[in-house]
Amino acid sequence: MTANVIVVVERRLDHPRPRVFRAWTAPEEMAQWRGSPGWHVEAETVTSDLTLGGRHHHVKVRDDDPSVRVTTDAVFTEFFDPDVFVAKQRITGDADIDPDTPLELRVEFTAQGKQATLVRIIQGPYAPAVAQYHADGWEAELGRLDAYLAREEAR
């Protein structure tokens, strides 16, 4: 099936834009919240060179079966802290994604007043049959990000 669907997911987070951007891009923070329910990111696998042309790598592992691993390797094609980053990704280990068809991930961070941020994720192309599954995964990850930021703020 042809991968021709772009997924767009948005969520307003009640946290300042620089804080949300850092949680998304700093490897030590990203490892704390990335992964849909039932998955986690192996902290020791997260690396990011947060520059234009920089590389990013992480491995997600299924909680109930650690042999199931999905690897993301990416290169930043745009990087403007704290506004936006774009990465060309190669994802392996996900049966729904052809590792030979690169995906593009664009994440925008728009300030909404001083204390809130609209996060907009644009990613694809996906095959039509799996696009909603991946959109739902992003929704869940944004929920985890919000919970992580709230816990950190309460400290």
Side-chain angles (χ1 to χ4, degrees), residues 118-132:
L118 177 67
V119 177
R120 184 171 200 238
I121 300 166
I122 306 162
Q123 188 181 40
Y126 286 104
V130 299
Q132 188 59 54

Side-chain angles (χ1 to χ4, degrees), residues 21 24-25 76 78-80 83-87 105-109:
F21 190 89
W24 196 288
T25 57
F76 291 112
E78 293 181 42
F79 194 88
F80 299 98
D83 299 310
V84 63
F85 69 83
V86 179
L105 171 65
R106 178 181 185 87
V107 184
E108 301 170 350
F109 303 83

